[in-house]
Amino acid sequence: MRIRHIAAAGAAAAALTLGAALPAFAGDTQPSAGRSHTVAAHDASDLGALAAKRKVKVYQDAKYKNRNTTFTENMWNLKHDGWNDTISSAKNLGKCTVTFYQHSKFHGAKFSLAKGESEPHFGDHPGMSDATSSVKFRC
């Protein structure tokens, strides 16, 4: 039973890191005898699948050049990550729509990229030239 609690705690930590909902069993104090260890491992891998759905690669300069990083979760304030007002191009590599906002907490001017879309120059969107302060996924 202790292994089930450790697996549930690991899944809960992964869910918090990814910003995902916790699996129903994570809060169970007495898991049913019918549950196996593979259920916990399967649910944890589902969290990885969610991260794969949410994936956008952003670049400091237009045309996908220079410094870059990949986001897999909503970013409500890019000041904390060193990317505030510096994103100039992006590629949506996930399956969700990603929206870039001019201000933190998903406010101000915005534009979105559907799955597979890319934007070589954010300056082509009013108010978005080197102005992105938050990023949000919608699946």
Side-chain angles (χ1 to χ4, degrees):
M1 180 166 357
R2 182 166 171 80
I3 292 173
R4 288 185 188 155
H5 287 272
I6 292 170
L16 291 173
T17 300
L18 296 172
L22 292 174
F25 73 89
D28 289 351
T29 55
Q30 300 254 338
S32 69
R35 284 206 186 122
S36 69
H37 301 290
T38 57
V39 171
H42 175 71
D43 287 341
S45 69
D46 287 346
L47 296 174
L50 178 62
K53 284 182 169 182
R54 298 175 175 182
K55 188 173 184 180
V56 64
K57 188 165 189 175
V58 297
Y59 298 82
Q60 181 178 3
D61 294 326
K63 298 184 181 177
Y64 322 109
K65 294 189 179 177
N66 292 326
R67 187 171 73 120
N68 63 78
T69 193
T70 301
F71 297 129
T72 59
E73 61 186 68
N74 293 335
M75 305 298 288
W76 66 272
N77 189 348
L78 291 174
K79 284 183 183 179
H80 302 296
D81 298 292
W83 281 93
N84 190 55
D85 296 342
T86 62
I87 299 172
S88 295
S89 57
K91 295 178 181 181
N92 187 351
L93 305 174
K95 297 178 182 177
C96 300
T97 297
V98 60
T99 303
F100 299 89
Y101 292 86
Q102 180 182 24
H103 301 301
S104 64
K105 299 182 183 175
F106 319 117
H107 290 32
K110 64 182 179 178
F111 79 95
S112 299
L113 296 176
K115 73 175 185 173
E117 289 185 336
S118 57
E119 178 54 60
H121 186 52
F122 279 30
D124 292 340
H125 300 273
M128 295 303 295
S129 180
D130 289 332
T132 300
S133 293
S134 55
V135 178
K136 189 172 192 174
F137 292 92
R138 287 195 175 84
C139 298

